[in-house]
Amino acid sequence: MATLPKVLLWTRTDVPGAETVVFDDRRGLVARGTQQAVDPIPYLARYELIVDDNWQTARLDVSAEGAGWMRTIRMQRATGRWRATTGEQGDLDAALVAAGQRRVGFPGIEDAARLERALDVDLGGSPLTNTLVIRRLGLLNATPDRPTTVMAAWVLLPSLEIIAAEHTYTPLGGNRIRYESDTFRADITVDDNGFVLDYPGLAKRG
């Protein structure tokens, strides 16, 4: 496995947790990361993300693991179509119910056709995946206050369910990007390479 030249660390501000990623963004993106959080139950997620030269996602591998359970997913996009391969050991639902939380769905997506317009993945709780849209659309150099709505393959953690979700990004100038999804909105501050510095209500780099 090749070494990667850069590393970033985010501390979660919504729940106790953190994310660390090592990566290379010289031609698209190759990234390997870990995410830890305690919501809805404590879990550790590991991922590998491959993005092509046009900043379109080619592959995402994720494993999520907690006490007595583990789920995995591999998402690949080729010839305009997504395929997802999933695996499960133990019983995540049993762990959730024991902690007083609601049950979740199965990993993956029932109808991959819903993702036909999706060029990006959005890994739940991960500031890294916001960079994919920012770089692909060139939002740091775009005219301010012109929103763009994209379809993303939203991967929920820790369940690894995949949801087709519309996200809207609006450049605000000064390395600030407004992110909106349904009723949620946050004004994100990024560095000159489009990587998140401060995502209010989610995470902060440090």
Side-chain angles (χ1 to χ4, degrees):
M1 182 181 294
T3 61
L4 299 174
K6 299 180 182 180
V7 62
L8 294 174
L9 168 68
W10 290 275
T11 300
R12 292 282 290 265
T13 56
D14 56 342
V15 299
E19 179 171 351
T20 303
V21 60
V22 290
F23 67 99
D24 187 342
D25 64 338
R26 288 173 292 187
R27 295 185 60 185
L29 181 71
V30 178
R32 294 192 293 268
T34 61
Q35 186 184 125
Q36 301 172 8
V38 299
D39 184 33
I41 56 175
Y43 68 86
L44 170 66
R46 300 177 178 88
Y47 64 84
E48 182 174 70
L49 175 64
I50 308 295
V51 179
D52 68 20
D53 293 358
N54 296 315
W55 282 83
Q56 297 179 11
T57 301
R59 178 167 61 84
L60 175 68
D61 293 331
V62 188
S63 66
E65 185 174 8
W69 63 271
M70 181 171 68
R71 289 186 169 192
T72 61
I73 190 166
R74 166 168 284 194
M75 299 177 60
Q76 292 179 289
R77 184 177 179 275
T79 63
R81 294 185 178 182
W82 287 97
R83 292 184 178 180
T85 305
T86 65
E88 183 171 13
Q89 299 177 39
D91 191 340
L92 172 57
D93 276 340
L96 288 165
V97 170
Q101 303 291 333
R102 66 175 183 85
R103 297 175 181 271
V104 293
F106 295 108
I109 186 169
E110 292 184 4
D111 183 4
R114 296 180 182 178
L115 299 177
E116 286 183 354
R117 294 191 293 118
L119 301 177
D120 316 286
V121 294
D122 180 5
L123 181 60
S126 173
L128 175 68
T129 47
N130 292 101
T131 299
L132 308 185
V133 179
I134 293 169
R135 292 283 287 266
R136 182 170 64 80
L137 298 179
L139 294 182
L140 287 179
N141 299 313
T143 303
D145 301 318
R146 290 188 178 178
T148 300
T149 298
V150 301
M151 177 68 74
W154 185 20
V155 183
L156 305 183
L157 280 170
S159 68
L160 300 186
E161 298 170 85
I162 304 172
I163 296 174
E166 289 192 339
H167 299 329
T168 299
Y169 288 79
T170 306
L172 302 176
N175 283 26
R176 294 171 62 244
I177 309 287
R178 176 165 294 159
Y179 166 81
E180 297 173 274
S181 181
D182 292 328
T183 61
F184 178 83
R185 185 175 78 176
D187 291 349
I188 302 170
T189 303
V190 300
D191 63 20
D192 291 340
N193 293 310
F195 294 98
V196 171
L197 291 169
D198 186 15
Y199 188 138
L202 179 69
K204 193 169 186 177
R205 219 157 83 198

